[in-house]
Amino acid sequence: MAPSAISDAIVDVVEPKKDTLPLPDATRERLTKAGIDLSKGYPYRPAKPLYLDDVYKIRGEEREYVDAGTRADKSKKSLLSAATKVTDLTVHIGTEIEGLQLKDLTPEQRDELALLIAERSVVFFRDQDISPQQQQELGEWFGEVEVHPQHPHVPGIPGVNIIWPDLFAQELGAPSFRKPGGASRWHSDLVHELQPAGITHLHNDAIPPVGGDTLWASGYSAYEKLSPDFRAFLDGKKAVYRSAHSYLDRENPTGGPRHIERTHPLVRVHPATGWKALWVNRGMTDRIVGLDKAESDLILNYLYDVYEKNVDIQVRFKWTPNTSALWDNRVTIHNASWDYGGRYPRHGTRVTSLAEVPYFDPKAPTRRQALGILDKGEQEALDLVTAKLRETLL
């Protein structure tokens, strides 16, 4: 039976290729244990949409969303007291939890985990015994699981996407570590959606012994790096965000591939923390609405640099087999280091839960302001800018 599209809204498709790359031993063992049918090949590829307008119809209307973190006990005592060790990896971003299995979390612990991820941006769990089905079920707790129209996924489990660099290298050509920077581009997942990604859960079952680290940067702290006057300029501005994949325009198919585009706030507020975060990424933020291209490019390139070049607001994580990372795409960007060769495969499964329509609230505080750790000069400057902004709004 030929692969089908993920939605009846998709009319015209391109039949996917057949993959023959052998699975890493650890991956095969995990999938077999979970009862995944590998007899028809791996991974499963849905039939790829051909035209842009078909893809716009997928999740084209706003859906109800309640952030799990808003239900949580602010102390997170149910989650944290059950762990054997909790370690903040840096001041601004990243926490590792030991002694818990994600598949066994109670409803209360899941909600508290969502809040912890919102506060710390990314949370890590090593030595996880979790099947793709359990990973999907946990993702559904955090929101609607995104089913990608063309990304390969685990057979029989739409929404559990495959992260397999060796497979991607077959499609894209030369090993990525030969490219400038030796890494993927800094990005946040699914920014082109009407309701973009909230929590993403990546579980890596096969990891090279050296290399393959992933880096995350804090959107809360990137925003706080900006001067109060510059924050005031950015607050309320919107930008156009585009998809990673492109499609043909049905009305002008010879015009070349086009990306899905949607407009969202440049600075957004997280519904669980109420804190402001800078929300741009070099890979998929295209332009600032209302500015000339030269102005937009100048500002965006500066904002990208603030995110990418300030190592004090970043965490670099070294994977071990069967580790899970859960991060919040609303308040962070990430990047993968491709500094390893094909002798040591890297393979993981990823589930992304979609969140709210992004919004901005001028009354929202920064993270430091909410936590009461602003110094006197910062507070005075912020009060002055806030007063000016309120006068403008009134």
Side-chain angles (χ1 to χ4, degrees):
M1 183 176 177
S4 59
I6 67 162
S7 168
D8 292 339
I10 299 172
V11 179
D12 300 290
V13 298
V14 178
E15 291 301 317
K17 60 174 285 188
K18 188 76 172 178
D19 296 297
T20 58
L21 189 66
L23 273 171
D25 291 342
T27 302
R28 180 176 292 278
E29 180 180 346
R30 176 180 174 231
L31 297 178
T32 301
K33 178 182 177 183
I36 303 299
D37 182 5
L38 302 175
S39 64
K40 296 181 178 64
Y42 183 90
Y44 176 85
R45 290 180 182 266
K48 175 184 174 180
L50 185 61
Y51 292 114
L52 191 70
D53 61 328
D54 285 348
V55 184
Y56 268 114
K57 296 173 185 175
I58 304 171
R59 298 182 290 271
E61 298 181 357
E62 185 173 347
R63 303 168 309 284
E64 183 180 0
Y65 171 78
V66 177
D67 192 285
T70 62
R71 302 188 295 256
D73 181 336
K74 302 303 181 185
S75 72
K76 301 176 285 294
K77 60 184 178 182
S78 179
L79 177 73
L80 300 181
S81 66
T84 59
K85 188 176 182 181
V86 179
T87 305
D88 287 342
L89 302 182
T90 77
V91 171
H92 298 282
I93 181 172
T95 295
E96 183 170 342
I97 293 183
E98 300 176 42
L100 290 176
Q101 288 291 322
L102 287 166
K103 66 180 183 181
D104 296 330
L105 296 182
T106 66
E108 292 78 12
Q109 289 171 330
R110 290 180 173 189
D111 288 346
E112 291 173 10
L113 175 58
L115 179 57
L116 181 64
I117 296 168
E119 294 172 344
R120 296 294 300 163
S121 298
V122 57
V123 179
F124 306 98
F125 296 80
R126 298 188 191 272
D127 302 317
Q128 293 297 298
D129 178 18
I130 189 167
S131 69
Q133 296 94 327
Q134 291 165 333
Q135 189 179 356
Q136 182 190 49
E137 194 268 335
L138 178 60
E140 290 170 344
W141 186 267
F142 298 135
E144 177 185 346
V145 169
E146 182 259 358
V147 178
H148 199 280
Q150 61 174 286
H151 197 93
H153 63 250
V154 173
I157 319 180
V160 183
N161 293 329
I162 305 303
I163 304 299
W164 193 2
D166 284 354
L167 184 72
F168 303 156
Q170 284 190 342
E171 302 170 1
L172 301 176
S176 299
F177 63 81
R178 294 180 185 168
K179 296 181 179 179
S184 68
R185 302 182 78 184
W186 286 96
H187 66 284
S188 184
D189 296 335
L190 303 172
V191 295
H192 66 281
E193 292 274 353
L194 176 63
Q195 293 177 237
I199 293 173
T200 288
H201 175 188
L202 174 60
H203 178 84
N204 274 324
D205 46 47
I207 286 294
V210 178
D213 298 354
T214 303
L215 299 86
W216 286 264
S218 167
Y220 297 134
S221 299
Y223 182 74
E224 291 167 344
K225 289 281 186 183
L226 308 176
S227 67
D229 280 3
F230 194 29
R231 293 179 207 164
F233 171 78
L234 296 176
D235 284 355
K237 292 270 190 306
K238 294 187 176 182
V240 176
Y241 299 80
R242 69 179 194 179
S243 59
H245 298 86
S246 58
Y247 307 88
L248 295 179
D249 184 345
R250 193 186 299 274
E251 302 301 320
N252 183 26
T254 61
R258 291 178 52 193
H259 295 272
I260 301 170
E261 292 187 347
R262 283 197 169 93
T263 301
H264 297 304
L266 197 65
V267 176
R268 65 186 296 181
V269 174
H270 195 291
T273 62
W275 306 338
K276 291 179 182 176
L278 181 63
W279 199 56
V280 298
N281 72 89
R282 194 179 296 274
M284 297 162 200
T285 307
D286 188 69
R287 59 194 181 276
I288 299 175
V289 175
L291 300 186
D292 291 340
K293 184 179 187 306
E295 297 167 337
S296 175
D297 288 349
L298 186 68
I299 292 171
L300 285 176
N301 280 315
Y302 174 73
L303 295 177
Y304 301 150
D305 284 348
V306 169
Y307 242 136
E308 298 171 9
K309 294 183 177 180
N310 283 289
V311 296
D312 60 318
I313 65 171
Q314 299 173 7
V315 61
R316 179 170 182 147
F317 185 74
K318 177 175 175 54
W319 296 89
T320 50
N322 300 316
T323 293
S324 284
L326 295 94
W327 67 91
D328 200 314
N329 291 279
R330 295 167 286 187
V331 297
T332 187
I333 59 174
H334 59 280
N335 196 355
S337 175
W338 291 332
D339 55 352
Y340 55 95
R343 282 184 57 205
Y344 302 108
R346 187 181 194 266
H347 177 280
T349 51
R350 183 188 68 191
V351 172
T352 297
S353 308
L354 300 174
E356 76 281 359
V357 175
Y359 69 94
F360 173 73
D361 180 356
K363 298 178 182 178
T366 67
R367 173 180 172 270
R368 288 170 59 84
Q369 185 181 20
L371 296 178
I373 53 177
L374 285 179
D375 61 38
K376 183 178 179 182
E378 285 179 312
Q379 187 64 62
E380 289 176 349
L382 186 61
D383 288 344
L384 179 60
V385 171
T386 301
K388 290 181 179 178
L389 180 61
R390 285 175 177 166
E391 288 176 5
T392 303
L393 293 175
L394 293 175

